[in-house]
Amino acid sequence: MSDSFLDLGETPQPAAKADAYRVLARKYRPQTFSQLIGQDAMVTTLGNAIKRDRLAHAFLLTGVRGVGKTSTARLIAKALNCIGPDGQGGPTIDPCGVCEPCRAIAEGRHIDVIEMDAASHTGIDDIREIIEASRYAAVSARYKIYIIDEVHMLSKAAFNGLLKTLEEPPGHVKFLFATTEVNKVPVTVLSRCQRFDLRRIPAELLAGHFAHVVAAEGFEAEPEALALIARAAEGSARDGLSILDQAIAHAGMEGEGVRADAVRAMLGLSDRGAIRELFRLLLAGEAAPALAALRGQYDLGVDPQAVLRTLLETVHGVTLAKVGAAPPAGQSAEEREALGHWAESLSFSMLHRLWQLLLKGHDEVARAALPIEACEMALLRVIHASSLPDPGELARALAEGRGPALPAGGPPHGASAPAPAEAPVAAAEPEPAPPALPDSVEAIADLLEKHGRHTLQVQVRNHVRPIRLEPPELEMSGARPLPTDFTRDLGLALREITGQTWSILIGEGAGNPTLRETLAAQAEAERAEILASPLVVAAMAAFPGAELDHWKRKDGSIAR
């Protein structure tokens, strides 16, 4: 047989496999302390300890998921074992990342850095192996380091077996513990460790970090989309990167960048513009449009519980705006403007009532067999409660022996008016003419005084800076702090006295002077006129040091 029939050539080799894809949470795990976001205080403490050679023999890292506990433990291992590019370096807060110990620890293959998951190694036998091995010096590193993740999962016997070694370990051994549930770690262990509480990462830092990641991956993203992901991450970098990974995959399929509406749909979040409109309808008491808006969100696939959760966030945002807190990162200008407007018109008591009603509805929907129906009933309860009298006003009315005023338009829907008592037939008397509406702030104050509303009339005289008065509407300046619930109390009082519903608004601008300021200006002008009169000037010259104490006005009143 010819050799040509035996020459089969080179055995074909399989094509080289491309590197397996690594998720963003692993690909962008911090490799230096400078890349560890949101934990500046811990990094400063560690840096100072390393510089001063005051290193603890055991560290406990605690915090919620995804804030960098395990990554920090590995960074500490690198910092303690780094020898520098020239092989002559010592412990440093800025490990070089190029020496053999740094690269081996980063790749998880260093023989002297042992990682153990306490969730799968919970017993005393696993700890006994660590205790026995810790007696021997490190093979090639400066320190032998044991990283035990989720340390709270160790059994009681395992913790007890570790105590003696943990208190007096050999000089070449360091223990690094990480846990999400520090309350489950025995105090005997806590007292033997230097504890670092890793904070939740602020949303603005996460959004900035995600922007760098998106740019490094060659994609584009809307700032609002990154802000949504940062808020959904709840302070966890790993959770946020996992969501971002999914958002980038979705954007890749669609051929577009990471968009806010796509992220919102992916997370099942309600459109915040639609929720603001729903919140407006609730405040206006428009039941049918509010239910239609809710059904519109439901038809788009938004969970009813998520709608209530976003409404709760809206109430919380209005309350923060009312107390003057800084708006959160990523909040749109439209949302900031809407929250500011509601903060001016809603009182604290109304906001607290809304919060309690929506929170109760949220809990009910979570347990309901019919979630959307339960959500509708919760919103109707909010609308109905908005028309009820304020508990404080109701208590005052009862204390004064009068019934609370009904809402404009008569008795509530479905309630019949009380039947009139039988009386002898008599000629109908003409109905009294409705009282004239006060056409000035002074007239409003006098009317309140006449009807026994002494506190309100004092507040009107001292605080109201009128911008526009067109009865039954009064627009006043908000430049001067007003008492809590003042606009609501004034509107209720004027409605009871005049029989008409008043609209008390907070407008823009400084407004005209208050009655008190007007009277003070008049008194000052009178005083100046009196002091300038020749007779008073001569008296002051004759009696040096004399002062004008009071004078009598033309109407007989005494001014000072």
Side-chain angles (χ1 to χ4, degrees):
M1 188 177 289
S2 170
D3 289 343
S4 61
F5 290 100
L6 297 176
D7 187 6
L8 302 178
E10 291 187 6
T11 304
Q13 300 293 325
K17 264 189 177 179
D19 290 341
Y21 175 72
R22 285 194 300 161
V23 296
L24 298 181
R26 292 186 59 196
K27 186 176 181 180
Y28 292 95
R29 172 167 276 174
Q31 298 300 318
T32 63
F33 281 105
S34 61
Q35 297 174 1
L36 192 66
I37 58 176
Q39 312 299 341
D40 297 342
M42 181 200 65
V43 173
T44 300
T45 303
L46 279 173
N48 292 337
I50 291 174
K51 290 176 184 176
R52 298 168 184 170
D53 195 22
R54 299 179 64 87
L55 292 169
H57 55 270
F59 298 88
L60 177 68
L61 307 171
T62 180
V64 298
R65 68 197 183 282
V67 293
K69 297 183 297 297
T70 306
S71 296
T72 300
R74 293 174 181 171
L75 290 176
I76 294 175
K78 289 169 65 174
L80 298 182
N81 284 324
C82 177
I83 60 175
D86 58 358
Q88 304 300 318
T92 174
I93 195 63
D94 296 312
C96 66
V98 298
C99 66
E100 177 56 25
C102 284
R103 289 188 290 109
I105 293 172
E107 296 168 7
R109 57 178 176 81
H110 200 292
I111 193 173
D112 292 318
V113 178
I114 301 96
E115 292 192 32
M116 187 185 88
D117 177 21
S120 54
H121 299 80
T122 63
I124 182 63
D125 292 336
D126 301 299
I127 295 300
R128 190 176 289 118
E129 292 181 10
I130 293 178
I131 295 172
E132 293 295 330
S134 66
R135 299 176 181 176
Y136 302 100
V139 175
S140 61
R142 185 180 295 113
Y143 294 104
K144 179 179 283 190
I145 295 178
Y146 292 94
I147 300 176
I148 303 181
D149 202 6
E150 300 301 338
V151 70
H152 65 274
M153 300 291 287
L154 289 178
S155 66
K156 183 177 180 180
F159 274 126
N160 290 336
L162 188 61
L163 285 180
K164 186 62 177 177
T165 303
L166 189 60
E167 184 171 15
E168 298 178 0
H172 59 271
V173 174
K174 301 290 182 185
F175 289 98
L176 303 176
F177 301 139
T179 179
T180 54
E181 300 184 46
V182 70
N183 58 301
K184 294 184 179 180
V185 179
V187 293
T188 50
V189 174
L190 293 177
S191 65
R192 290 166 168 82
C193 300
Q194 189 172 94
R195 174 174 168 175
F196 290 102
D197 290 86
L198 277 67
R199 303 172 53 192
R200 289 182 185 270
I201 305 172
E204 58 270 19
L205 288 183
L206 283 177
H209 179 56
F210 298 157
H212 291 302
V213 171
V214 169
E217 292 292 308
F219 286 88
E220 295 182 353
E222 296 178 356
E224 185 181 355
L226 298 180
L228 284 172
I229 295 174
R231 284 201 295 266
E234 296 182 345
S236 169
R238 184 174 61 234
D239 287 6
L241 288 172
S242 298
I243 298 172
L244 181 61
D245 220 338
Q246 184 180 356
I248 289 177
H250 180 77
M253 294 175 63
E254 297 293 334
E256 301 178 357
V258 179
R259 303 192 321 271
D261 56 348
V263 171
R264 191 176 289 111
M266 183 184 74
L267 295 175
L269 297 176
S270 304
D271 179 73
R272 301 193 78 85
I275 291 297
R276 290 196 297 273
E277 175 62 17
L278 175 57
F279 188 69
R280 185 193 68 77
L281 294 172
L282 293 178
L283 295 179
E286 301 181 19
L291 295 184
L294 172 64
R295 282 287 178 173
Q297 291 287 293
Y298 183 70
D299 293 340
L300 291 174
V302 180
D303 182 61
Q305 197 172 3
V307 173
L308 289 172
R309 183 164 54 246
T310 313
L311 285 172
L312 282 166
E313 292 175 357
T314 303
V315 174
H316 181 252
V318 174
T319 308
L320 292 183
K322 192 170 183 67
V323 301
Q331 189 178 80
S332 64
E334 294 82 1
E335 184 172 4
R336 191 178 302 115
E337 181 180 356
L339 296 183
H341 171 73
W342 286 323
E344 292 179 355
S345 59
L346 295 175
S347 65
F348 281 111
S349 60
M350 177 61 76
L351 290 170
H352 295 325
R353 192 190 307 181
L354 283 170
W355 177 265
Q356 293 298 330
L357 290 169
L358 290 171
L359 188 62
K360 179 177 175 61
H362 182 274
D363 294 341
E364 290 176 352
V365 170
R367 302 189 305 267
L370 303 171
I372 182 62
E373 287 79 2
C375 187
E376 288 177 338
M377 296 301 293
L379 296 189
L380 288 174
R381 185 164 61 231
V382 171
I383 292 173
H384 175 68
S386 66
S387 64
L388 294 177
D390 179 80
E393 175 62 24
L394 182 60
R396 286 193 296 270
L398 293 175
E400 296 172 6
R402 55 185 174 85
L406 290 173
H413 178 70
S416 58
E422 294 186 3
V425 178
E429 295 182 359
E431 294 185 0
L437 297 181
D439 57 357
S440 67
V441 175
E442 186 173 7
I444 291 176
D446 292 342
L447 191 62
L448 292 170
E449 178 72 15
K450 179 181 177 181
H451 286 80
R453 304 301 178 87
H454 306 293
T455 302
L456 268 179
Q457 73 89 13
V458 171
Q459 292 173 340
V460 167
R461 293 182 183 277
N462 293 345
H463 297 287
V464 170
R465 290 177 176 269
I467 296 177
R468 179 175 56 87
L469 175 57
E470 298 176 2
E473 186 170 312
L474 169 62
E475 182 179 2
M476 68 182 72
S477 171
R480 181 174 185 147
L482 294 170
T484 305
D485 299 337
F486 171 72
T487 55
R488 184 207 61 199
D489 292 345
L490 179 59
L492 288 173
L494 291 176
R495 184 177 68 180
E496 290 183 8
I497 295 171
T498 65
Q500 293 198 33
T501 300
W502 281 69
S503 176
I504 311 297
L505 307 174
I506 303 296
E508 298 292 336
N512 296 316
T514 66
L515 289 177
R516 181 180 181 182
E517 292 169 340
T518 301
L519 292 176
Q522 291 175 354
E524 187 62 30
E526 290 179 2
R527 181 185 183 87
E529 183 180 357
I530 292 172
L531 290 175
S533 66
L535 182 61
V536 174
V537 169
M540 292 292 185
F543 300 96
E547 295 181 357
L548 178 61
D549 181 69
H550 62 274
W551 66 93
K552 191 174 183 180
R553 288 197 172 107
K554 294 179 180 180
D555 60 0
S557 62
I558 301 298
R560 294 182 181 275

